[in-house]
Every structure is written in structure tokens, then in C-alpha cells.
């Protein structure tokens, strides 16, 4: 008998099962008799894991090579077909303590990301090559090359710079053209104009043997800007791959029972109404349906936030996402795909997302003012020089110099550099931000709404006041509990392991769904379960606790009380958020007594209980309409619409798939301190981004008058642009220094130890 | 000044080698796992597979 709960670092996963025909789609051929398969291994986030997995799998005789990608947390294994099955590899990884699931890069769009990244890097390399060589030639011109030599150098520069601009400038040209088509101006418009004009004007000057050419400015600009663009891309790609790897570790499908009684595995998307599926104890339902055979306790916490399981019998309606706890069921599917309770919630979500006003990122907001201002200045310069009686040539030169000097090199780097540094810092503390906009939004929130079950609490019950229970009672109760997957039984087992108690071995153990367990030990009948099952009266008032009664023979029954224990740092986080000037609310679908208990424990005054998904959505939207900027923190399927409606949103990695997809930020690990850390980091990043803007704008204020006066030579332009970019990057690096991330409190470490003990016992 | 006639091609050629080497390293997947590569260098697992 193994322990029912498979826990890794406090997060519960069902091992992935790779079923027959399904296996083929993950495997590719890697030579004669060799196959290659990739696994996602979310826990492989440390160098030790890399060494351990590679050494262990590599030592298997049938494995040719195993290579870990630490950035993507993936393992690629090449193995001999006949000698080992992919399932055996998953099991081997499981024994090492790593949950794995097969991975197909095509399903997550990661390959497209990789191609984009490679294209940007190639452009960056070309721009870097051109910048280096053109600068070499420019330095000789500045140091006094004249006449034929200077012209030769200019022609050489043109031959290097023009193809480089044409190739490396494409990301900007494309974006500028599509923005202009839509009738608005983004940062890429002045960038494209500046670079193109600099290149073309320099070509004209070279053609006429003039002294000034700005080829070096054009390619250096592109180089810096591409670096900014690549950083921005890197950040999005990193978060996307991190979130892709969190995609359900459960098997996505069900075992369908045919008319002749045979069973076959059908992926969830191919399930149809009328099919009968077998749901084993511990499985999640793949679709809505009606129970036909079997009685079991269902964990509905992801759907309703209710922490107490509910008993279902033949005829009862069950929903996709519910977890069968105690016994196998046969369920007839009534709705699959677009007709499920789940898809109703998805519709609510997309409606909520459309209701959100389009968020405009800080760089784009600035671009709205910046581009017109720059173009006006250039036009004014042109007009001014003409009015003062200079020729067309000099006037155009001065105007182009203004466009070159104001080319938003530092501006293009200012935000991406800060955001990459800040998100990298958060990433290392286990907080994954989906994109830069999410980080900017985090800085602006003024209200935080927490869900209860699974968000502020662990979503798994633990025994209240354990010392009051004698070792003898616990030994006997655990003897029964080890035969059940019921969450309260699991909680009893965890307590037994923590106290180093070896459970008794009762005989004739039977589980009675909806009632409890029975067994015989030493001639006495043992019963563990509901109050009625053990013959105890109901209490006068609901304390908001879950209960199990235990009875041994004719002796007085014992009541075990359980509470859904708080995540570590829950109270401290609420205090910290309040201290940062944020309103904190609690919004739960659970019973009022249970909600009140948690609200009081963490110090939240505004608590709402028994909220349906629709009510949660309405609550968040009402606050949003009143001008609030809501950070919604939730994990369940029932929270998904509210997460989508929130100005910003966070979900723990243990959340339902749909919750993680809806949230803009996902955090790993047990501690809720991640919420405060993310908001703090968001604010800090925003402050540094603003400073960077101030620096960049300040540089323009100094340089533009010089350019308008016609004093900017190519040398001045090169120096001014490089220094401003370097200053902005140096300032961005300060985000690294701040103390962010959930601190491992004593409680977290304690929880970790217990989980390890449970795993060893299993 | 005649030195320029061969110095410039040499400079461009060397720059070109650098560019080609970078693009090769990109193609051969050396930028796929920057974090892992940083740690791999510290590992003592140079023994060939038995």
C-alpha cells in the first residue's frame, strides 16, 4: 500500500501515464534503431538536478544520451527502441524525484519563439560586425584622413553599412510600416526614419566627396536597438517556456468503456456525449457527466473553493475538473468540449478580457509624444536654416542631424533592460511574469483580492491540536486511513509520519464512500469517518473546521478536527501588502465559517464567502469600474474569470490549468510572500524605468540644441549615443540589487521536511 | 599609404571570420541553454560512458 498523495516540494502531482497510441506522437527518430523523446521536468531547476538526471539516465544500458536543458527545464533522451519504453524513462525520472511529462515543442509555439530569437541574434551579429568595422574606418577619418583616402574610407563604410542596415533594420522597418498602416506612430517610426535618413544622406555626401558621413551612427544605433529588442524577446520567451512547462502534469484523457466492456484511452478533446468513462480513485474528471456506477467523495475545491469533499452517488451530476477521491466511478458523459461547465467559464473569461481597456505600455505612451516632437523639431530646424539664408544642402544636413541625435536609442533600451533584469530577479525566486506589460501593471495596483482555498491556504487539510491525540489512537486511526485517498485520511497519515508512528495493521478494512472506513483490530471494530458513521451527535455550531470521528469498539469516540492550513507567510504577506498602502480583500466560494476563520487568522477585514464564479467576476469588475486597479490572486477554475478581469493577476503553480493560463504572473513554491515580492519588484522596476526615461530625455535636451545649431559632427553623435545607452543599461542593472523574492521562513522549511518524510515513507 | 591596400582586406576578412563563427555557434544550438552551459563547466563528469 503506497501513500495516496504524491507530493514534491509541497505540490501535488499525479504521475504522467503514457498510453499506447498516444506515445507515438512524442517520439522522433534519431538514427537507425534510435528514438528521441523530450520530457518537461519542472523540478529540474538546479545544476544538481542536471548532473543527477544526466548521470542516472546516462548509466541506463539502453539510453544513448540524456541531455538536460536547464533554461527550458527539459530533458532530451536518445534511446534504443527495443530496449526501453518511454514510460520506463518517466518512471525512472519519478524514482529520482522528478515528475516528467513528454513534451512536444510544436504544441507550445516554442519553436516559433526560438526562430524569432535566432533571427534577432543574427541581425544583432550583422549589426555588430558592421558597427565594429565602420567604426574602425570612421576613427581614421576623425583622426585626419583626407581627400582620396577619406573618400575611399567613406565608400568602404557605405559598402559595409548599407547591406547591414538593409538586413539588420528589418525588424524595425516592418514594425514601423505596420504601425503607420494602422494610423498610429510607435517608437519604431522615428528609429526607422533616423537610420534610413542617416544612411541615405551619408551615401549622398560620399557621392559628392563631402567631409561628413554618418554610416557609423546608423549601424551603431541599430546594434544598440537590436540589443534592446533581443532582451525584450528573451524575457517573453523565458516566461512563456516556464509557463508552458507548467501545463498539466496529469494525463489529458480518459479510459472509455466500450459496449463490449473493453477499455481504450481517448484524449479529452475526442470525448463525446454518451460515452461511458472509467474514473479511477485519484483521477480528475475529463468532462461533465452523470455518475452511473459507484459511490465516491468528490473534491470540488478547484471548481467551488469548497474545502470539504462531497459524496456523489449514481445519478449525481459531476463536472470536469473534479477529483474522485475514494472509489472508482463510471461516468456517462453528458457534455464534452464546448458544452461543459468549464467552457461556460472560458466564455466568461474571454468576455472579461474584452472588457479590459487596452493597456498601453509606458514606452508606447511616451512614443506618442516623442515622435511628433522629434519630427516637429527636425522640420523647424530645416525651416530655420532656410530662413537664415543657408542653402538646401546645409539645412537638410542639420535637420537629419537632429533626427539622428534624437533617435531613441536609450529610450529603446531603457524599458527592456530594466524589465529583463527585474523579471530575471523574480524568475530566480520562482515568480514568472508573462510579459513586460504585466510587470508594469503590477506596479500600479491599489487593491489585492485573495481567493481562499489553495491560494491563502494550502488546499490540503491538517490536523488541529495534534498533541491532544494519543499515540495509540493515532496508530489505530492511521491503520484505517492508509487505505483511503480521502484528503482527511492523507492529513492523518502526514501527522502519523511526522510523529514517526507506524500505523497498526487492521484486518477486513473496507471503505464506505460518503460514510468512512471500517476494520477490525485485536477483536475490536474500528470506525473512522463522519460523525453519523461513528454514532456521534452533530455539534451546535459550525466552527468552520472539517472533522473525522474515530471509534474503537464500544469506547467513547474521538473527534479529529482539521483545518485547511494557511500557506507559509500568509499573515505576514497581508500585513506587508497593507503596509504598502494596498487594500486587501478575501473572496471565497467556501462556507462563511471557514472563510471567517481564515480572514481572522491573516488579518483581512473585507471577506466575502459563498461567491460563485460569476459573483467573483462581478466583484472584481465592480471594483475596476469604481476606478480600482485590482490584483486578483487565485488558483481555482472558479477564479479564472476573475483573474482575467483583474487589472493584474497572480496564480500559484499548483493552480488549475485554466487559472494559470488566465493569470499574468505565476509563482512556484508554497509561500504567498511571492505576491508582496512581485508587487515590490514591479514598483521598483517602474521607478528605474522612469529614471531611465528621464536620463534619456535629459540627454536629448542637451544634444538637440547642438544638432539644431549644426554643431553635431559624426564624432559627437557617436560619443553621445554610446554614452547615453551605456548609462541607461548601468542604471537598469540596479534592479538586480534589490532584495526580492519569497524568503524561506522557518515554516516553509519545516513543511519541506515533512513532505520529504512523507515521500520516503511512500 | 600602400599598407592600406592589404590591411583593410585583412581587417574585413578577420571580422568576417568572427561573424561566421558566431552564426555557426548560433546554428549549432549553443545559445539554447545559457543557464545550463554556465553550470556544466563546473561539473566533473568527463569520464567516458563505460
Amino acid at each position: 500500500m503506497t501513500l495516496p498523495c504524491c507530493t514534491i516540494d509541497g505540490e501535488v502531482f499525479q504521475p504522467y501515464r503514457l498510453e499506447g497510441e498516444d506515445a507515438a506522437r512524442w517520439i522522433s527518430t534519431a538514427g537507425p534503431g534510435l528514438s528521441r523523446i523530450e520530457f518537461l521536468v519542472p523540478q529540474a531547476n538546479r545544476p544538481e538536478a542536471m548532473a543527477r538526471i544526466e548521470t542516472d539516465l546516462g548509466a541506463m544500458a539502453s539510453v544513448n544520451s540524456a541531455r538536460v536543458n536547464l533554461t527550458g527545464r527539459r530533458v532530451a533522451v536518445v534511446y534504443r527502441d527495443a530496449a526501453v519504453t518511454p514510460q520506463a524513462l518517466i518512471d525512472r525520472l519519478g524514482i529520482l524525484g522528478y515528475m516528467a511529462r513528454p513534451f512536444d515543442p510544436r504544441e507550445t509555439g516554442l519553436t516559433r519563439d526560438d526562430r524569432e530569437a535566432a533571427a534577432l541574434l543574427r541581425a544583432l551579429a550583422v549589426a555588430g560586425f558592421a558597427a565594429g568595422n565602420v567604426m574602425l574606418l570612421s576613427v581614421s577619418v576623425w583622426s585626419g584622413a583626407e581627400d582620396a583616402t577619406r573618400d575611399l574610407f567613406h565608400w568602404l563604410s557605405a559598402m559595409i553599412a548599407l547591406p547591414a542596415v538593409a538586413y539588420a533594420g528589418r525588424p524595425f522597418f516592418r514594425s514601423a510600416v505596420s504601425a503607420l498602416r494602422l494610423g498610429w506612430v510607435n517608437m519604431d517610426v522615428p528609429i526607422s526614419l533616423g537610420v534610413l535618413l542617416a544612411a541615405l544622406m551619408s551615401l549622398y555626401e560620399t557621392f559628392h566627396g563631402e567631409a561628413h558621413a554618418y554610416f557609423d551612427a546608423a549601424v551603431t544605433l541599430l546594434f544598440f536597438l537590436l540589443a534592446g529588442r533581443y532582451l525584450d524577446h528573451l524575457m517573453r520567451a523565458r516566461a512563456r517556456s516556464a509557463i508552458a512547462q507548467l501545463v498539466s502534469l496529469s494525463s489529458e484523457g480518459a479510459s472509455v468503456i466500450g459496449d463490449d466492456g473493453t477499455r481504450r484511452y481517448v484524449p479529452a478533446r475526442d470525448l463525446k456525449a454518451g460515452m461511458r468513462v472509467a474514473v479511477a480513485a485519484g483521477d480528475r474528471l475529463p468532462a461533465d457527466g452523470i455518475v452511473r456506477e459507484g459511490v465516491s467523495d468528490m473534491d470540488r475545491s478547484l471548481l467551488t473553493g469548497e474545502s470539504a469533499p462531497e459524496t456523489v452517488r449514481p445519478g449525481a451530476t459531476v463536472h470536469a475538473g473534479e477529483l474522485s477521491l475514494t472509489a472508482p466511478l463510471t461516468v456517462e458523459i453528458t457534455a464534452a468540449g464546448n458544452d461543459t461547465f468549464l467552457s461556460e467559464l472560458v466564455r466568461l473569461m474571454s468576455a472579461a478580457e474584452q472588457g479590459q481597456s487596452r493597456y498601453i505600455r509606458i514606452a508606447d505612451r511616451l512614443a506618442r509624444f516623442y515622435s511628433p516632437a522629434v519630427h516637429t523639431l527636425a522640420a523647424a530646424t530645416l525651416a530655420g536654416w532656410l530662413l537664415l539664408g543657408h542653402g538646401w544642402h546645409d539645412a537638410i544636413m542639420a535637420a537629419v542631424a537632429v533626427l539622428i541625435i534624437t533617435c531613441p536609442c536609450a529610450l529603446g533600451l531603457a524599458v527592456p533592460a530594466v524589465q529583463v533584469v527585474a523579471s530575471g530577479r523574480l524568475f530566480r525566486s520562482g515568480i514568472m511574469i508573462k510579459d513586460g506589460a504585466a510587470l508594469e501593471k503590477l506596479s500600479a495596483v491599489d487593491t489585492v483580492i485573495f481567493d481562499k482555498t489553495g491560494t491563502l491556504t494550502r488546499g490540503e487539510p491538517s490536523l488541529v491540536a495534534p498533541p491532544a491525540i494519543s499515540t495509540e489512537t493515532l496508530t489505530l486511526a492511521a491503520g484505517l486511513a492508509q487505505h483511503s485517498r480521502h484528503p482527511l485520511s492523507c492529513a492523518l497519515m502526514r501527522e502519523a509520519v511526522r510523529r514517526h508512528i507506524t500505523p497498526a495493521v487492521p484486518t477486513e478494512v473496507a471503505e464506505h464512500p460518503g460514510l468512512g472506513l471500517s476494520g477490525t483490530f485485536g477483536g475490536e471494530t474500528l470506525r473512522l469517518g463522519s460523525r453519523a458513521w461513528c454514532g456521534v451527535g452533530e455539534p451546535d455550531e459550525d466552527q468552520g473546521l472539517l472533522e473525522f470521528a474515530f471509534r474503537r469498539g464500544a469506547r467513547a469516540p474521538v473527534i479529529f478536527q482539521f483545518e485547511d492550513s494557511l500557506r507559509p507567510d500568509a499573515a505576514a504577506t497581508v500585513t506587508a501588502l497593507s503596509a504598502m498602502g494596498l487594500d486587501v480583500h478575501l473572496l471565497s466560494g467556501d462556507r462563511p465559517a471557514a472563510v471567517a476563520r481564515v480572514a481572522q487568522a491573516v488579518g483581512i477585514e473585507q471577506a466575502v464567502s459563498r461567491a460563485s464564479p460569476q459573483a467573483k467576476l462581478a466583484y472584481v469588475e465592480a471594483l475596476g469600474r469604481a476606478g480600482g486597479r485590482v490584483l486578483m490572486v487565485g488558483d481555482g477554475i472558479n477564479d479564472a474569470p476573475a483573474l482575467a478581469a483583474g487589472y493584474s493577476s497572480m496564480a500559484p503553480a499548483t493552480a488549475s490549468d485554466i487559472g494559470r493560463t488566465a493569470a499574468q504572473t505565476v509563482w512556484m513554491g508554497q509561500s504567498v510572500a511571492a505576491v508582496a515580492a512581485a508587487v515590490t519588484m514591479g514598483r521598483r522596476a517602474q521607478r528605474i524605468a522612469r529614471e531611465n526615461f528621464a536620463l534619456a530625455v535629459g540627454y536629448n535636451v542637451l544634444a538637440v540644441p547642438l544638432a539644431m545649431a549644426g554643431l553635431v559632427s559624426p564624432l559627437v553623435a557617436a560619443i553621445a549615443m554610446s554614452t547615453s545607452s551605456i548609462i541607461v543599461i548601468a542604471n537598469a542593472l540596479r534592479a538586480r540589487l534589490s532584495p526580492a523574492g519569497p524568503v524561506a521562513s522557518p515554516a516553509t522549511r519545516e513543511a519541506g521536511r515533512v513532505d520529504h518524510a512523507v515521500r520516503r515513507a511512500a | 599609404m600602400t599598407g592600406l591596400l592589404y590591411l583593410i582586406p585583412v581587417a574585413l576578412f578577420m571580422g568576417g571570420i568572427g561573424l561566421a563563427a558566431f552564426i555557426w555557434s548560433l546554428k549549432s544550438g549553443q545559445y539554447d541553454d545559457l543557464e545550463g552551459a554556465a553550470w556544466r563547466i563546473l561539473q566533473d563528469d568527463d569520464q567516458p560512458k563505460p
Side-chain angles (χ1 to χ4, degrees):
Chain A
M1 182 78 210
T2 54
L3 260 181
C5 309
C6 182
T7 314
I8 287 187
D9 295 339
E11 292 169 19
V12 181
F13 291 121
Q14 298 293 329
Y16 192 90
R17 285 195 307 272
L18 200 59
E19 314 256 347
E21 56 217 270
D22 188 40
R25 61 183 273 238
W26 309 106
I27 300 169
S28 59
T29 316
L34 293 177
S35 288
R36 181 176 186 282
I37 187 165
E38 266 194 67
F39 298 109
L40 272 179
V41 188
Q43 283 97 25
N45 55 353
R46 302 202 174 281
E48 304 87 70
M50 178 168 80
R52 197 146 167 241
I53 291 175
E54 287 183 356
T55 318
D56 193 274
L57 285 188
M60 287 171 79
S62 44
V63 171
N64 255 39
S65 76
R67 191 165 173 94
V68 175
N69 180 324
L70 207 56
T71 318
R73 303 193 188 175
R74 303 197 288 266
V75 185
V77 185
V78 176
Y79 61 97
R80 280 196 287 285
D81 294 328
V84 69
T85 60
Q87 185 63 54
L89 296 171
I90 295 179
D91 293 343
R92 184 69 216 168
L93 284 167
I95 291 169
L96 290 176
Y98 302 102
M99 284 296 159
R101 64 158 241 154
F103 170 76
D104 183 356
R106 279 164 301 185
E107 71 175 333
T108 56
L110 285 179
T111 42
R112 207 192 59 231
D113 265 2
D114 289 347
R115 270 205 306 276
E116 264 179 54
L120 274 174
L121 265 184
R122 266 200 304 276
L124 187 64
V126 169
F129 164 79
N133 286 287
V134 172
M135 199 52 91
L136 208 67
L137 295 164
S138 295
V139 167
S140 1
V141 172
W142 298 332
S143 6
E146 282 176 326
D147 305 327
T149 318
R150 186 188 65 205
D151 287 349
L152 170 70
F153 284 178
H154 277 171
W155 276 113
L156 278 172
S157 302
M159 275 153 56
I160 301 168
L162 292 177
V165 167
Y167 179 78
R170 285 181 310 167
F172 304 101
F173 303 154
R174 238 179 275 144
S175 150
V177 167
S178 59
L180 286 176
R181 271 207 195 124
L182 290 171
W184 48 297
V185 177
N186 61 8
M187 217 50 138
D188 291 334
V189 175
I191 290 174
S192 304
L193 260 184
V195 169
L196 282 177
L197 280 176
L200 293 177
M201 186 195 74
S202 306
L203 187 64
Y204 176 87
E205 294 288 287
T206 305
F207 205 74
H208 291 276
E210 297 281 346
H212 288 333
Y214 292 90
F215 288 118
D216 57 288
V219 285
T220 321
L221 257 178
L222 276 181
F223 179 70
F224 279 124
L225 287 167
L226 280 167
R229 198 56 54 102
Y230 179 66
L231 289 179
D232 201 31
H233 180 89
L234 206 62
M235 159 163 177
R236 268 178 298 139
R238 183 166 56 189
R240 248 196 305 235
S241 79
I243 287 161
Q245 64 189 251
L246 286 169
V247 172
S248 171
L249 282 156
S250 64
S251 53
E252 313 118 334
S255 169
V256 169
I257 310 172
D259 294 332
D260 51 355
T262 55
R263 294 180 178 205
R264 68 197 166 89
Y265 178 83
V266 175
R269 59 178 180 280
D270 294 338
L271 291 174
K272 299 209 171 44
M275 283 181 169
R276 289 163 79 88
V277 296
V279 180
D283 274 1
R284 275 196 198 285
L285 282 179
D288 292 2
I290 294 175
V291 179
R292 287 297 173 211
E293 284 167 37
V295 177
S296 177
D297 294 305
M298 304 298 284
D299 177 352
R300 316 188 62 194
S301 60
L302 276 185
L303 272 81
T304 60
E306 173 88 53
S307 45
E310 196 175 308
T311 309
V312 295
R313 297 167 194 289
T317 310
V318 285
H319 296 293
E322 293 180 358
L323 181 68
S324 171
L325 291 167
T326 39
L329 291 176
T330 305
V331 173
E332 184 182 325
I333 295 177
T334 51
N338 289 328
D339 309 319
T340 52
F341 177 68
L342 210 66
S343 58
E344 169 63 24
L345 286 179
V346 172
R347 272 196 291 280
L348 276 178
M349 265 172 66
S350 51
E353 267 163 11
Q354 279 164 11
Q356 287 255 13
S357 56
R358 220 185 97 83
Y359 177 77
I360 301 164
R361 293 184 60 175
I362 180 167
D364 293 330
R365 260 180 283 164
L366 207 73
R368 285 180 162 185
F369 302 100
Y370 193 78
S371 317
V374 165
H375 297 155
T376 316
L377 279 174
T381 311
L382 182 71
W385 278 67
L386 284 177
L387 283 179
L388 289 173
H390 296 275
W392 276 98
H393 176 262
D394 289 351
I396 291 178
M397 282 288 280
V400 170
V402 169
L403 280 179
I404 294 174
I405 207 87
T406 55
C407 202
C409 186
L411 283 181
L413 272 173
V415 178
V418 176
Q419 289 181 344
V420 161
V421 173
S423 72
R425 186 81 179 72
L426 285 177
F427 191 79
R428 264 185 290 280
S429 27
I431 303 169
M432 288 161 293
I433 296 201
K434 284 192 188 168
D435 57 17
L439 190 65
E440 289 176 22
K441 283 174 154 189
L442 266 179
S443 70
V445 298
D446 55 17
T447 311
V448 183
I449 299 182
F450 281 104
D451 165 51
K452 183 181 77 74
T453 318
T455 306
L456 270 183
T457 66
R458 292 170 190 271
E460 65 183 32
S462 64
L463 202 54
V464 178
I469 291 152
S470 72
T471 304
E472 192 193 1
T473 310
L474 193 60
T475 308
L476 291 170
L480 285 178
Q482 64 180 335
H483 291 272
S484 164
R485 277 173 182 272
H486 196 283
L488 298 187
S489 300
C490 292
L492 269 183
M493 286 307 297
R494 274 194 296 274
E495 178 62 22
V497 169
R498 204 179 63 77
R499 286 213 221 163
H500 306 291
I501 289 173
T502 314
V505 187
T507 52
E508 298 165 42
V509 178
E511 183 158 25
H512 314 270
L515 299 169
L517 295 143
S518 64
T520 313
F521 186 77
E524 284 177 309
T525 308
L526 303 178
R527 282 186 166 196
L528 179 70
S530 67
R531 282 178 177 251
W533 176 243
C534 299
V536 192
E538 292 297 321
D540 298 335
E541 101 186 278
D542 187 359
Q543 292 174 289
L545 294 173
L546 301 173
E547 292 175 332
F548 249 9
F550 174 70
R551 187 172 197 130
R552 179 182 178 189
R555 297 186 204 191
V558 181
I559 301 285
F560 297 110
Q561 289 190 311
F562 302 86
E563 64 180 347
D564 191 359
S565 58
L566 291 175
R567 280 181 183 260
D569 307 322
T573 303
V574 171
T575 315
L577 289 171
S578 304
M580 287 159 73
L582 301 168
D583 273 347
V584 185
H585 300 217
L586 183 64
L587 186 58
S588 172
D590 208 352
R591 294 157 296 144
V595 174
R597 201 183 160 82
V598 168
Q600 201 202 349
V602 299
I604 296 179
E605 281 165 18
Q606 307 174 65
V608 178
S609 54
R610 287 224 187 275
S612 66
Q614 288 82 354
K616 288 192 173 193
L617 175 62
Y619 192 84
V620 172
E621 281 182 336
L623 277 172
R625 268 197 302 277
R629 289 179 168 169
V630 176
L631 167 61
M632 176 73 204
V633 189
D635 73 319
I637 292 168
N638 59 333
D639 297 314
L643 286 170
Y647 181 75
S648 179
S649 48
M650 287 185 81
T654 44
S656 57
D657 284 356
I658 188 168
R660 284 194 303 245
T661 316
Q664 292 165 10
T665 306
V666 175
W667 86 84
M668 310 275 284
Q670 285 287 310
S671 170
V672 220
V675 176
V679 175
T680 312
M681 187 48 110
R683 287 183 174 185
R684 194 177 159 81
Q686 194 76 347
R687 197 169 59 242
I688 297 178
R690 291 224 174 89
E691 287 169 14
N692 271 352
F693 275 145
L695 284 172
V697 169
Y699 145 79
N700 275 320
V701 168
L702 283 179
V704 166
L706 289 179
M708 290 177 81
L711 295 174
V712 171
S713 67
L715 175 61
V716 174
I719 292 175
M721 279 184 328
S722 314
T723 21
S724 72
S725 298
I726 289 166
I727 289 175
V728 165
I729 292 176
N731 192 39
L733 287 175
R734 291 197 310 131
R736 248 187 134 78
L737 306 173
S738 66
V743 195
S745 67
T748 324
R749 287 194 295 272
E750 175 63 25
R753 267 202 296 281
V754 173
D755 284 333
H756 282 296
V758 170
R759 204 153 77 214
R760 270 200 301 279
Chain B
M1 280 302 174
T2 46
L4 288 176
L5 286 180
Y6 58 87
L7 280 179
I8 289 172
V10 165
L12 285 179
F13 178 69
M14 283 177 10
I17 289 180
L19 182 61
F22 176 77
I23 289 176
W24 167 78
S25 70
L26 188 63
K27 272 226 169 88
S28 63
Q30 298 187 26
Y31 288 80
D32 288 353
D33 182 18
L34 294 174
E35 210 177 316
W39 287 104
R40 228 170 260 282
I41 196 172
L42 301 173
Q43 278 175 15
D44 303 318
D45 56 353
D46 296 330
Q47 308 92 337
K49 190 174 165 180

